[in-house]
Amino acid sequence: MTYITVDPATITPAMAAQIRTWRVDEDRTWRSVARAATDLWGSEWGSNQIYGRDLCVAAATIMGEDPDQEPWN
């Protein structure tokens, strides 16, 4: 997986859990995940959909889940 906007090494387990909550439990879009992450942790990406997708992929990978399968998609 090539990440454009997120260095997976910068995502902590606590951050991965929060991203999973936004995407899976709260059923947010990638754009909404990006906005929430930007608001909480700050980034230059704002509500960029690609940033949201990269966050979700990194978080799912950290948690040993497939970002392209349920419950992520």
Side-chain angles (χ1 to χ4, degrees), residues 1-2 8 12 18 20 23 31 35 39 42-43 46-47 49 51 54-55 57 59-62 66 69-70:
M1 175 72 194
T2 302
T12 67
Q18 179 61 66
R20 189 182 195 284
R23 179 67 177 169
R31 192 174 303 280
R35 172 52 53 202
D39 291 346
S43 84
S47 60
Q49 185 172 343
Y51 176 57
D54 284 354
L55 285 169
V57 169
T61 301
I62 287 168
D66 185 337
Q69 299 297 320
E70 291 295 331

Side-chain angles (χ1 to χ4, degrees), residues 4-5 35 38 41-48 51:
I4 298 170
T5 63
R35 172 52 53 202
T38 294
W41 301 310
S43 84
E44 73 254 18
W45 295 101
S47 60
N48 181 290
Y51 176 57

Side-chain angles (χ1 to χ4, degrees), residues 1-19:
M1 175 72 194
T2 302
Y3 295 89
I4 298 170
T5 63
V6 175
D7 177 356
T10 64
I11 304 297
T12 67
M15 292 169 78
Q18 179 61 66
I19 294 164

